[in-house]
Every structure is written in structure tokens, then in C-alpha cells.
Amino acid sequence: ACEELASVTFAEGSKLKNVGAMAFHNCGKLASVTFPSGCPLANIDASAFKLCGLTSIAIPAGVTNIGEQAFEECSSLASATFEPDSKLEFIGSSAFCESGLTSVTIPAGVKRIEGYAFAECGSLSEVTVLATEPPMVPEHSNLFTGTVPGNPIATLTAIKVPVGSVDKYKAANGWRDYANLFTDGSTAAEVDFEFDPTTGTIIDYKGEGGDFEIPATIGGVDVKAIGDNAFSHSNPLLLIKSVTIPA
């Protein structure tokens, strides 16, 4: 392992398409990895960042595959976010197991999640799944199991899914184990907003309308302001019924 490696930045114009298996495994002081805008990265392979000191990671939109144990035992990893229009389809077994995630939003295009993907994340309180149809997972997959086998993570209070999808998740393999945690995702997804993290300002709304609550944070940054014309630019075919502003 590169014991003193503290940060990795991929330059603008990088043609990086793959982070290979165990590429940064056990780099305990690696706290920051930055990918440039438009990075063509498609795969993060098995154990690529396992046992790293990452505190957050923004995963490029083009990534389709996160391999098994990719971020396992990254105990300081409080935030893993996916860029808008994420093409992610697959999350491997134990991909974020025993990480420090406090919340996570799983992109709408995810088709399969393997067992223990988010198990034993001792600070995980909320999961949002954007897919209207439950991603395939193995039966009794222990996706969100805690330190006590068969029981969910003690801090996990809600799994938010799209309006109208709760019953589908409650009936689906691997998901039904958490039936008492499902709730309609009335809080709008972070990807529904164009957001300026430097000022904490919502610039534009790009969601599907209906009744929704503006999230208190976007990408781990507090929402502090709603910018000029933020909702007036919305698709005129959308029906925004009500908006709740967080405390």
C-alpha cells in the first residue's frame, strides 16, 4: 500500500475508464479522490478503495459498475454521491460494507445489488432508492444488516422509494426483509436540483413535480437559499402541487 498517499486528482481531460481491482487498497491516509467533470470512468473494480481513509466520494455519471468490496471498511466515508444522470447499473457484494455512510441515494438506473452491499454501516440513517421497480437482489441478501445477524442497521430509520412503489419493494426478494422501513420518497431527490454547493443555493428544479419536500442538504451541503427563477424554469408540463421547505 502507498502508506503516505493522501489525495488523488485526475486531471481535466482524463481518459480514465477503469479503476482496477485493489488499485488503492489499504491506502489508509487517502482522504480525497477527485474525478474531473465529464470523466469517462465506467468501472470501479473489486476492492479498489477498500480500507482507504476517504471521507467523501463523488462518483462520475458514466460509472456503470461498482465491484465487490470497492469501498469496504472505509470507516471515514460519510458521503458517497452520484452525479446527475448516473448510469450506474450494478453494485457488488459488500461494496460499501462497514463504511461510515450516514445516508445514500441509489440511482434510478441500478438493476442489481449484491448481498451485504451496505451492511454494518453503523451510522447509516436513511437510504433513498430512485428506481420505481426494485433492483434485483438475492433472497435474504443482508443489504442493510447490522452487527446483529438478521437485524437491520440500528441507526437506519427509513428507506425512501418513489411514490407508488412501496408495495413493490415490500414484496421483492431481499427488500422484503426491511418492509417496516419503507416510505414514499416525498423528499425530492438530490438529482432533481441544479445546485451551487459553494453558496448552498438551489438554481433550478428538474424533477417530476407532484408533492415534495426540498431536501435539507444536497451532496452533503446545507441548502441555504433558493435562487432567482429556480422553479419558474421547470417543465411547463409538470404539475407541482406543493413544496415543503425544510426547517
Side-chain angles (χ1 to χ4, degrees):
C2 299
E3 295 178 357
E4 300 302 318
L5 182 63
S7 66
V8 173
T9 300
F10 295 93
E12 290 293 333
S14 170
K15 301 298 191 295
L16 180 75
K17 293 184 178 179
N18 186 73
V19 177
M22 302 182 72
F24 297 98
H25 178 261
N26 204 24
C27 293
K29 294 184 179 180
L30 179 58
S32 172
V33 174
T34 303
F35 300 104
S37 176
C39 175
L41 182 67
N43 296 291
I44 299 175
D45 286 345
S47 301
F49 295 99
K50 182 176 179 177
L51 286 166
C52 284
L54 293 172
T55 57
S56 65
I57 186 79
I59 297 173
V63 171
T64 60
N65 174 76
I66 296 176
E68 63 181 3
Q69 302 177 9
F71 297 95
E72 186 178 23
E73 296 184 78
C74 292
S75 58
S76 298
L77 183 62
S79 172
T81 57
F82 299 90
E83 288 185 347
D85 303 318
S86 171
K87 295 178 174 60
L88 187 68
E89 296 182 355
F90 177 83
I91 300 174
S93 61
S94 300
F96 293 94
C97 181
E98 296 185 72
S99 70
L101 291 178
T102 58
S103 65
V104 66
T105 297
I106 299 172
V110 172
K111 294 179 172 60
R112 185 173 182 89
I113 306 174
E114 296 292 353
Y116 294 90
F118 299 94
E120 297 188 43
C121 293
S123 298
L124 187 63
S125 62
E126 183 176 286
V127 173
T128 300
V129 190
L130 299 182
T132 55
E133 297 295 329
M136 293 179 60
V137 299
E139 183 72 21
H140 305 305
S141 60
N142 294 299
L143 279 185
F144 307 107
T145 194
T147 54
V148 178
N151 290 340
I153 297 165
T155 55
L156 185 59
T157 59
I159 301 175
K160 294 183 176 182
V161 299
V163 174
S165 294
V166 167
D167 289 342
K168 296 178 184 179
Y169 278 83
K170 285 183 175 181
N173 282 350
W175 296 101
R176 65 169 65 99
D177 299 336
Y178 308 98
N180 63 321
L181 294 175
F182 289 111
T183 180
D184 278 342
S186 57
T187 298
E190 294 183 7
V191 296
D192 288 344
F193 299 94
E194 183 179 345
F195 183 68
D196 181 355
T198 60
T199 61
T201 301
I202 290 175
I203 298 170
D204 193 13
Y205 173 70
K206 302 180 290 183
E208 297 181 356
D211 301 289
F212 61 88
E213 180 179 339
I214 295 172
T217 62
I218 296 178
V221 177
D222 289 340
V223 174
K224 298 178 180 179
I226 297 173
D228 295 348
N229 302 308
F231 288 91
S232 68
H233 293 158
S234 301
N235 185 332
L237 297 179
L238 297 178
L239 177 59
I240 298 177
K241 295 180 178 179
S242 68
V243 177
T244 302
I245 298 174

